Amino acid sequence: MKKFILKIHITPLMAKIFVYNLKLPLKIPFETSFGVQNERDVLLFRYSGDVEAWGESVTDSYPGYSYEDNGTALYIFRNYLLEILSETEDPYNFIEASKKIKGHNMAKSAVETMLWDLKAKREKKGLKELIGGKKERIESGISIGILPMERLISMVRNSLDKGYRRIKLKVKPGWDVDVVRTIRREFGDIPLTVDANQAFEKHPELVLALDKYELLMIEQPMNERNFLGHSRLQKQMSTPICLDESIHSVDDAQRMLEMDAGRIINLKIGRVGGLSESLKIIEFAGKNKIPIWCGGMLETGIGRALNVIVQSREEFRIPGDTSPSDRYFERDVIKRPFIMKNGMIDVPDGIGLGIEPDIEFIEKLSKVHEFEVV
Ligand code: OSB
Ligand code: MG
């Protein structure tokens, strides 16, 4: 009898976490200097208790961009983060307590996103309001993978026709200066950037050769740890270097500034371990007048919502890599996918992340892992 009473008292307090793993085919293969991707291997976190809340891990099945992948993210969650989550559901406290676990920023960020959505929903506020976002819409850019030249040209043309505010091309040794020259010759003075994903570590001369094409920036030419190499390059170039993989925290942003290892920041919320750290970087960039924009990891609508919301902060003044859902997928995992009008995407104005995940669709495609928050 005692046992029964205990049970009815505890049940309403119990929350569950569902982790969904599903594959979504990409409409167009995405090739970077570290590999080709034909699908997104998606990892979603759902809090199911007094309210429903969501987060997306920006990891994929292959650790080419960083050492984290879906396997490590799930492992770190199951073995360490779940326990921390049972102690605190506040995003700041969760991140603070998670600092004893080294690294694994993307895993932490996925859980933290869910906790931000949870906090905002419990307070019946939009996440935009919680983080001091002001804008109602953000400028959209597109990141185009390595493609045969004919297809690349037609994709650039198509993207300009659709209204994208900035074109980014992936480059690697062997797919470098000629590509930029061809695109410049074909399209003239369009807002153009390139992203090397660390591939020019042994070819600084190719990076320098890109300097005369008036690119808005050159993203991450050298290894993520090579601040010194980036700084040496930056001294010899007028094109700003933008750091992506190198920036894991606000300390790295400071290192970039003090070493002149780059002059623009690509912020990825997952890479820096969540929104709490992102806000520090955004404020640091604002204070030091460093241009900052938001990168992407081919997220579904759930991670995309977070990226769009963060860009409602006024420090974001240049278009990022956030494209509408239909640039990536035939069908997104949310009910009202993100669309682009006039090269702009509306910032969600509902409570929390302001999106409605399509649970039926997600469950149909997913391998599900279930956990209890105790
Ligand atoms: O380096 O910015 C990158 C995608 C996956 C991994 C790394 C990167 C990218 C992109 C795509 O460039 C941006 C997007 O459209 O989400
Ligand atoms: Mg990049």
Side-chain angles (χ1 to χ4, degrees):
M1 194 57 196
K2 230 176 187 170
K3 244 181 191 166
F4 176 72
I5 292 168
L6 200 66
K7 223 177 194 163
I8 56 166
H9 277 277
I10 282 176
T11 308
L13 295 172
M14 223 157 50
K16 281 187 170 170
I17 307 286
F18 297 97
V19 181
Y20 299 99
N21 183 208
L22 63 150
K23 290 179 168 59
L24 288 184
L26 289 172
K27 281 177 156 183
I28 303 161
F30 191 74
E31 179 169 349
T32 62
S33 61
F34 60 80
V36 194
Q37 229 177 309
N38 291 295
E39 59 184 17
R40 263 289 282 146
D41 200 330
V42 178
L43 196 65
L44 302 174
F45 288 75
R46 171 186 169 204
Y47 180 101
S48 187
D50 54 327
V51 292
E52 295 279 326
W54 292 79
E56 175 169 355
S57 176
V58 299
T59 48
D60 209 286
S61 52
Y62 184 80
Y65 169 82
S66 89
Y67 67 84
E68 292 188 78
D69 67 15
N70 290 341
T72 67
L74 187 57
Y75 175 88
I76 292 294
F77 175 71
R78 182 198 305 270
N79 288 286
Y80 310 109
L81 301 181
L82 179 61
E83 196 183 319
I84 297 172
L85 175 63
S86 351
E87 283 154 22
T88 176
E89 292 182 349
D90 174 79
Y92 287 113
N93 295 340
F94 170 80
I95 285 299
E96 211 35 57
S98 300
K99 288 196 169 139
K100 62 189 178 205
I101 316 294
K102 302 296 181 226
H104 298 282
N105 280 355
M106 295 176 183
K108 292 172 183 173
S109 177
V111 179
E112 192 227 29
T113 305
M114 180 177 77
L115 296 182
W116 276 105
D117 191 26
L118 185 67
K119 175 178 164 70
K121 281 173 175 160
R122 283 180 177 158
E123 294 175 17
K124 300 194 166 44
K125 288 180 181 154
L127 185 52
K128 172 177 146 181
E129 185 188 339
L130 245 55
I131 66 160
K134 294 274 159 16
K135 291 184 242 167
E136 280 173 17
R137 55 192 68 83
I138 58 137
E139 287 190 291
S140 183
I142 186 166
S143 171
I144 305 178
I146 296 166
L147 289 169
M149 189 50 88
E150 299 270 281
R151 287 193 63 198
L152 182 65
I153 290 173
S154 83
M155 191 154 169
V156 171
R157 177 161 300 119
N158 201 264
S159 303
L160 292 166
D161 290 347
K162 284 192 171 137
Y164 282 104
R165 303 283 174 108
R166 188 227 59 199
I167 306 289
K168 173 168 124 183
L169 307 176
K170 291 290 185 178
V171 290
K172 64 176 181 183
W175 187 257
D176 45 72
V177 182
D178 284 350
V179 179
V180 172
R181 188 191 299 119
T182 306
I183 297 299
R184 273 283 182 241
R185 196 191 299 136
E186 196 76 26
F187 299 101
D189 187 25
I190 58 169
L192 187 66
T193 80
V194 296
D195 184 2
N197 290 109
Q198 317 182 52
F200 292 90
E201 184 72 23
K202 298 206 167 67
H203 296 282
E205 76 287 356
L206 292 175
V207 183
L208 295 174
L210 288 168
D211 199 25
K212 65 175 189 192
Y213 293 94
E214 307 222 29
L215 298 168
L216 298 173
M217 68 195 84
I218 298 177
E219 190 176 333
Q220 198 72 43
M222 312 295 253
N223 190 275
E224 67 169 293
R225 300 185 58 200
N226 196 357
F227 279 79
L228 192 54
H230 281 110
S231 173
R232 284 180 181 142
L233 270 181
Q234 185 67 86
K235 281 189 181 60
Q236 303 168 68
M237 287 170 35
S238 57
T239 311
I241 289 177
C242 167
L243 294 185
D244 173 350
E245 286 94 319
S246 293
I247 308 288
H248 295 265
S249 61
V250 71
D251 293 346
D252 286 331
Q254 182 152 17
R255 201 175 336 271
M256 179 191 97
L257 178 69
E258 288 189 17
M259 291 180 71
D260 194 23
R263 296 182 181 160
I264 299 180
I265 295 172
N266 168 346
L267 175 75
K268 285 184 184 162
I269 298 165
R271 190 193 62 229
V272 305
L275 199 48
S276 319
E277 189 69 21
S278 295
L279 293 171
K280 292 185 198 163
I281 295 174
I282 292 165
E283 272 152 30
F284 178 81
K287 212 176 293 155
N288 292 285
K289 303 200 161 44
I290 305 169
I292 185 167
W293 55 277
C294 184
M297 294 289 284
L298 315 174
E299 292 91 342
T300 72
I302 294 172
R304 193 161 307 282
L306 182 67
N307 289 345
V308 172
I309 289 169
V310 83
Q311 288 170 86
S312 70
R313 288 276 305 219
E314 282 170 332
E315 289 87 348
F316 291 87
R317 302 222 175 87
I318 45 180
D321 278 350
T322 309
S323 305
S325 301
D326 72 352
R327 175 263 182 273
Y328 309 91
F329 314 112
E330 244 12 283
R331 181 171 170 181
D332 202 339
V333 302
I334 55 171
K335 290 231 170 104
R336 283 162 271 97
F338 286 92
I339 55 169
M340 180 171 75
K341 277 177 280 174
N342 219 343
M344 315 269 299
I345 294 176
D346 286 346
V347 180
D349 59 5
I351 61 164
L353 287 167
I355 44 155
E356 193 188 336
D358 189 340
I359 298 187
E360 241 174 84
F361 179 59
I362 293 168
E363 289 192 331
K364 207 169 76 192
L365 297 179
S366 291
K367 179 169 182 197
V368 189
H369 306 264
E370 196 179 319
F371 304 92
E372 257 167 37
V373 184
V374 284

